[in-house]
């Protein structure tokens, strides 16, 4: 039997202190599911174009999906939408853990934060009871301490908290929001939270996440479990090695960037491989929260040497890439410390490591010197630089002030050709997959809604692993746009469910449709959901077009377009981006010349208002 | 109406895995109250003389008192008894927080840990359910991480944990046991726990601490609250400044040791004063646990400079002395970090700081050089040395291996007259009160049961503050033995209740008698309790005599007996120890020549078996 689920939105105005509870119309769920696509729509509608991301005019939208809080494996996630201070564009950022389910159990599918508090504040939610409280006590605290002492102040050890650390308070452009030790990392949502003087959201819910058809949902859960069990990589190997699992293949195939993408595939990478790591450092396999049966997170502890006693939940593949291969650092405990410090100060590990690697290359090339670095010899391979750079970045002191701006702004400042190897797209530092070795990944980065993200425009990991066994075919542009597109829209759907990328990789699209249909009461097919995925992609695109994005922005660092690596299997490869973009735009229904979604396509997706909005942008000369 | 309270002891044998629950006879409570004196008796009876403190033959006795878990202010404490690896003698060590009350609520007044686990283990208690669990996952973790992940493994955020950090695992002789961020710090109980492969005791209790006469207890609580309210230093100033309150007076009076006790009263001390500290660093006033209404702990946070983001619950007066004045360091954030690191690695702050200060003086005097220190310039005033020394000590690496042995062993090794300024008594580093400026304090240190402790032989703080206003009289030996004795026995009683030293300072002895009588059903007068205090002092003394202690051991560092400070109000003062000891032994009923308790005195205290034991020691030549 199917019941109606009423979904709610909490609106918090930090300027006025006004708190409102609103009902989310059922049609919005039908059109946008929840999580990512629902947040896309809200962000598009609620933000005026051109606002300063760090001004009170920006908003933070915390969202859950229909699966959040249920027993679906990998559903313990929340998503934050905002305008990114790092890219100036659309941003969503997700994190696993207990915060999302707790928000749902407190009765809120979405929380919109508006305005700016006059003094440091935090939002305390306990079911229907919502209050803004003074956060003066906690301002300046690291994320671990802040969570501990906020729980203490509220007298409830079961409260769940999403907060910022010093990096967010100090408006570091890639500051993260942290819950437990998990980051909504990319794009600087933590800086937006800091700009609003909001230290934390603490939430406690005593309700349950409801589903529309419990019986059908139980059946769908069984199918989901079967899909996962049938996929040994996800069900057997992933629990052992997490996201480090594919490192050997990606390293051998020349996918892992090395020394700021000067090379691909790292000889030192072998030290970072999953088996070695697990044996020496892993103490425990950790899940986000109980409904996950994969446990991809590895709790790592250094027990010897100068970093003894340092512990982190991770590092994941991206941290291994950004602090490890990208900076040419193989000192594993130093990487554990770097990962832990990013969580404590509230920093995105990818942007942090890639920014440092960029600065290292600039230093080695003589583009900057020790006068710029405050006397520091910024060379590749220096493990001791990790902790120092992270601390200085979080507090924007010394050379950390430059690092805190990210690669794009550093390159603008340094000049001298450094822009060519500033490894970002639209300001967001790239995830660790070299598209010169798997051409479909080029489109993930070039056309991802939030910039050079390895996930928001499809899964760079899954695409790399799909392309690697194809031999020489992986260097061809043929069929790659379709591959990317087929990966992109299901990802948007999963981010709306919300479903983690790893169980999603095991579940069939039909199973996901079954789960979402039972949870919402809408009888979605896999095809219906694909359309909703496209809807989200196009709202995100339209948001960015409104901020100035045109085809010329859908590009990659010059290094990937013109330079090839010196050795290894990807030798002599560059990315033929224009061919790929033509194909991809065609599949997306975007104008080939401008990259703006075509009104027909938007109308077909049920977005007539956005179609009208886009029409007027055809006549505007794109800014750059 | 008075009811019978049945009290229980849990006996855990780590070698065999055997767990036993025993009833504590009512007569034992009548004779020994609980906490300290009850533990004294158990330790005396259960340990054979001469055992190696780090062998399986040693035991750890965790105890609570009749007030633990009740609403009495300052009652949230537990006490650990063991043979100290640092002194080789009697040790008790106390800590506040939630562990003691939780142990009581689980139904255990005492937990005795025996033997040695083959592999790292932890004890998990949930009311009647007791189990030894594998601690392989947590071995190597800092105390904060260990507590977090043990709670996570047990799936209960309300569990309370006493654990060791890397220092305890590595058998650092002054390793602490930590619960929350509070240390049972002195004398190396953490190393004993480490030697047993016991990482932690996790306890959860759903019962309540019972009292024999609830109505009378409520009345006693009212009197206790009145006593505290009537004492503005404790009720008004202490909540603001904690144990730093008396720093200005102690500094001005030449009581605070400076540069390893070469001087007294520190010109830099002004930076460490309470008002300055509170304004710049204190974020919150913290209580051990709800029944305290004083909140002496100051949550301090560094927000600028290289230590930004570092937080500690403290530092208290003793950490200010040991890391601050004693090492001549005035960099406040560095002291905050030192305090935090000691909690995380599980180290006693006093022994750590005083050991470092001793090494600094040895270095400056050329007794050791950079070959001994691994290249480090070990000079006074170098704030950067704090964190490095603490880390190296916790892992016993480099010069930390020497520091980890404490001042006594370092002096034995360094020789060249360094023994004269190794600031310990019986191996335990001194608390921060120079007896050259308050002669009663000399007896606290010289005759304290656990060695150079500022609390176990009476309160050095209270005695200093009592002596300071007496002008020149404070330099006289006259009446000082009586002063110390009058402070010593009530402290033993309070440690048995268990009642924190600060509310105790406000409560009359009659109020404490009223509280304990109502809690136990024994109708004790203040005088009765004083006798029980004496009983405890004498059991402790007898334990030490059995281990070889004689009068010659009741001494002070030569510096205090023969050197005077160069300037300030205590100029030209030394301690005339023999006169003081003669007086004190006389008051205690200890043999003037040997320092052994006289059998008549022991019999009078109801300790005939110990009297018989002591008789045979008169004939044994004391070892040194």
């Amino acid at each position: 039997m199917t019941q109606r689920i009423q979904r709610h939105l909490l609106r918090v105005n930090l300027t006025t202190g006004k708190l409102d509870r609103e009902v989310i119309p059922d049609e919005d769920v039908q059109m946008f599911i929840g999580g990512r696509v629902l947040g896309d729509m809200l962000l598009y509608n609620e933000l005026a174009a051109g606002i300063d991301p760090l001004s009170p005019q920006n908003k933070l939208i915390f969202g859950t999906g229909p699966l959040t809080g249920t027993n679906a494996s990998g559903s313990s996630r929340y998503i934050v939408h905002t305008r990114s201070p790092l890219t100036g564009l659309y941003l969503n950022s997700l994190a696993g853990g207990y915060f999302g389910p707790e928000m749902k159990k407190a009765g809120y599918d979405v929380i919109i934060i508006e305005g700016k508090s006059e003094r440091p504040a935090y939002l305390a939610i306990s079911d229907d009871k919502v209050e803004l409280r003074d956060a003066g006590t906690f301002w300046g605290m690291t994320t671990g301490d802040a969570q501990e002492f906020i729980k203490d102040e509220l007298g409830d050890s079961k409260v769940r908290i999403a907060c910022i650390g010093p990096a967010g308070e100090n408006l570091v452009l890639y500051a993260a929001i942290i819950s437990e030790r998990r980051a909504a990392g990319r794009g600087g949502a933590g800086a937006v939270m800091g700009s609003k003087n909001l230290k934390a959201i603490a939430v406690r819910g005593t309700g349950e996440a409801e589903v529309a058809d419990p019986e059908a949902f139980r059946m769908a859960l069984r199918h989901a479990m079967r899909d996962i069990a049938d996929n040994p990589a996800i069900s057997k190997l992933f629990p052992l090695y997490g996201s480090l699992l594919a490192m050997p293949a990606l390293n051998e195939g020349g996918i892992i960037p090395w020394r700021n993408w000067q090379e691909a595939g790292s000889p030192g990478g072998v030290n970072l491989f999953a088996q070695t790591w697990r044996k020496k450092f892993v103490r425990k396999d950790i899940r986000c929260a109980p409904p996950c049966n994969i446990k991809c997170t590895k709790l790592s502890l250094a027990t010897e040497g100068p970093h003894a006693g340092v512990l982190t939940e991770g590092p994941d593949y991206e941290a291994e890439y950004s602090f490890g291969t990208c900076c040419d650092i193989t000192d594993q405990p130093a990487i554990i410390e770097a990962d832990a410090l990013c969580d404590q100060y509230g920093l995105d590990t990818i942007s942090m490591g890639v920014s440092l690697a960029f600065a290292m290359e600039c230093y080695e090339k003589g583009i900057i010197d020790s006068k710029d670095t405050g006397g520091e010899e910024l060379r590749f391979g220096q493990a001791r630089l990790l902790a120092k750079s992270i601390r200085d970045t979080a507090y924007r002191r010394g050379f950390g002030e430059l690092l805190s701006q990210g690669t794009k702004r550093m390159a603008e400042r340094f000049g001298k050709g450094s822009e060519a190897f500033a490894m970002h797209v639209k300001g967001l530092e790239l995830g660790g997959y070299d598209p010169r070795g798997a051409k479909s990944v080029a489109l993930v980065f070039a056309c991802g809604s939030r910039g050079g993200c390895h996930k928001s425009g499809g899964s760079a990991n899954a695409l790399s692993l799909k392309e690697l066994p194809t031999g020489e075919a992986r260097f061809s542009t043929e069929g790659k746009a379709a591959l990317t597109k087929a990966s992109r829209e299901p990802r948007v759907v999963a981010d709306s469910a919300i479903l983690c990328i790893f169980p999603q990789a095991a579940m069939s699209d039909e199973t996901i449709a079954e789960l979402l249909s039972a949870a919402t009461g809408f009888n979605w097919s896999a095809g219906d959901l694909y359309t909703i995925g496209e809807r989200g992609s196009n709202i995100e695109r339209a948001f960015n077009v409104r901020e100035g994005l045109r085809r010329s922005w859908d590009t990659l660092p010059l290094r990937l377009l013109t330079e090839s690596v010196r050795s290894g299997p990807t030798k002599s490869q560059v990315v033929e981006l224009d061919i790929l973009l033509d194909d991809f735009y065609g599949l997306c229904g975007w104008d080939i010349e401008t990259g703006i979604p075509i009104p027909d396509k938007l109308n077909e997706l049920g977005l007539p208002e956005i179609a009208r909005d886009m029409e007027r942008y055809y006549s505007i000369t794109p800014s750059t």
Side-chain angles (χ1 to χ4, degrees), chain A residues 1-131:
Chain A
M1 214 186 77
T2 300
Q3 57 179 341
R4 224 58 191 160
I5 310 285
Q6 205 171 54
R7 300 191 187 272
H8 292 96
L9 179 156
L10 175 66
R11 189 179 295 272
V12 178
N13 190 305
L14 295 172
T15 307
T16 63
K18 197 160 177 287
L19 308 166
D20 285 305
R21 189 183 162 98
E22 303 167 13
V23 171
I24 298 172
D26 231 34
E27 311 84 70
D28 282 1
V29 176
Q30 190 166 16
M31 282 284 283
F32 310 110
I33 305 174
R36 179 162 166 182
V37 183
L38 181 64
D40 291 347
M41 185 275 289
L42 289 166
L43 194 75
Y44 187 91
N45 288 340
E46 301 236 349
L47 284 199
I51 56 134
D52 175 355
L54 295 179
S55 73
Q57 283 69 51
N58 200 359
K59 301 191 183 188
L60 276 168
I61 304 173
F62 288 79
T64 62
L67 300 188
T68 311
T70 70
N71 285 328
S73 192
S75 66
S76 299
R77 297 179 80 72
Y78 72 94
I79 188 166
V80 189
H81 284 74
T82 193
R83 184 171 176 198
S84 162
L86 186 63
T87 67
L89 297 174
Y90 167 88
L91 179 67
N92 73 55
S93 194
L94 295 111
Y98 290 84
F99 181 79
E102 200 71 22
M103 185 177 144
K104 177 69 77 82
K105 288 172 187 170
Y108 305 98
D109 296 86
V110 175
I111 300 172
I112 299 183
I113 308 285
E114 308 175 338
K116 178 182 177 176
S117 172
E118 201 178 335
R119 296 158 50 103
Y122 74 103
L123 182 66
I125 299 172
S126 179
D127 292 331
D128 288 344
K129 194 175 156 239
V130 181
E131 58 173 335

Side-chain angles (χ1 to χ4, degrees), chain A residues 255-501:
Chain A
I255 300 290
I256 299 183
W258 181 37
R259 293 175 75 92
N260 195 40
W261 301 63
Q262 293 181 82
E263 299 297 326
S266 157
V270 73
N271 283 329
L272 308 173
F273 284 172
Q275 287 87 340
T276 319
W277 192 276
R278 182 169 181 88
K279 210 161 135 189
K280 286 186 73 170
F281 299 105
V282 174
R283 284 308 177 90
K284 195 170 180 169
D285 305 315
I286 291 198
R287 67 182 90 210
C288 276
C292 173
N293 63 346
I294 295 178
K295 298 190 179 176
C296 76
T297 302
K298 305 298 124 196
L299 183 70
S300 301
L301 177 69
T303 53
E304 288 171 12
H307 304 98
V310 174
L311 169 148
T312 197
E313 284 190 12
D316 63 359
Y317 173 85
E318 301 304 330
E320 287 304 301
Y321 139 71
S322 62
F323 296 126
T325 62
C326 205
C327 292
D328 196 17
I329 287 168
T330 53
D331 180 331
Q332 297 155 313
I335 295 172
I336 291 179
E337 186 185 43
D339 197 58
L341 289 177
C342 283
D343 287 348
Q344 288 305 314
Y345 294 120
L347 282 166
D348 177 40
T349 53
I350 301 179
S351 288
M352 182 71 240
V354 175
S355 294
L356 179 59
F358 169 72
M360 286 170 164
E361 185 169 347
C362 288
Y363 185 89
E364 291 200 344
K365 293 216 156 109
I367 293 171
I368 58 172
D369 60 25
S370 59
K371 284 196 303 294
D372 302 294
T373 66
E376 202 64 69
E377 289 230 3
L378 223 58
R379 296 189 181 282
F380 284 106
Q382 303 293 312
R384 66 177 174 75
L385 289 175
L386 289 181
K388 184 178 183 344
S389 301
I390 292 168
R391 289 200 170 95
D392 285 352
T393 298
Y395 291 94
R396 294 175 57 179
R397 63 194 173 202
F399 187 67
E401 170 61 28
L402 281 168
L403 289 173
S404 78
Q405 308 289 317
T407 49
K408 180 167 180 261
R409 287 170 178 78
M410 275 194 286
E412 283 164 6
R413 178 162 167 159
F414 299 163
K416 299 181 188 171
S418 64
E419 294 87 346
F421 55 85
M423 302 311 293
H424 70 86
V425 168
K426 302 182 177 80
L428 191 77
E429 285 70 25
L430 301 183
Y433 306 89
D434 191 333
R436 289 172 296 190
K439 298 289 162 73
S440 62
V441 172
L443 290 165
V444 174
F445 288 140
C447 302
S449 298
R450 63 182 187 179
C453 167
H454 58 292
K455 285 197 298 194
S456 82
S459 168
N461 182 298
L463 289 171
S464 302
L465 293 172
K466 208 169 267 178
E467 286 212 51
L468 272 175
T470 66
E472 287 296 304
R474 66 172 163 132
F475 302 126
S476 155
T477 56
E478 208 171 325
K480 298 305 165 65
L483 208 57
T484 308
K485 181 89 168 58
S487 157
R488 180 184 176 107
E489 313 311 355
R491 186 65 236 141
V492 178
V493 172
D495 284 345
S496 305
I498 302 171
L499 207 53
C500 166
I501 199 161

Side-chain angles (χ1 to χ4, degrees), chain A residues 29 141 153 168 181 308 387 588 599 610 618:
Chain A
V29 176
M141 286 190 190
E153 175 166 297
R181 296 174 190 242
C588 290
I610 294 180
Y618 284 102

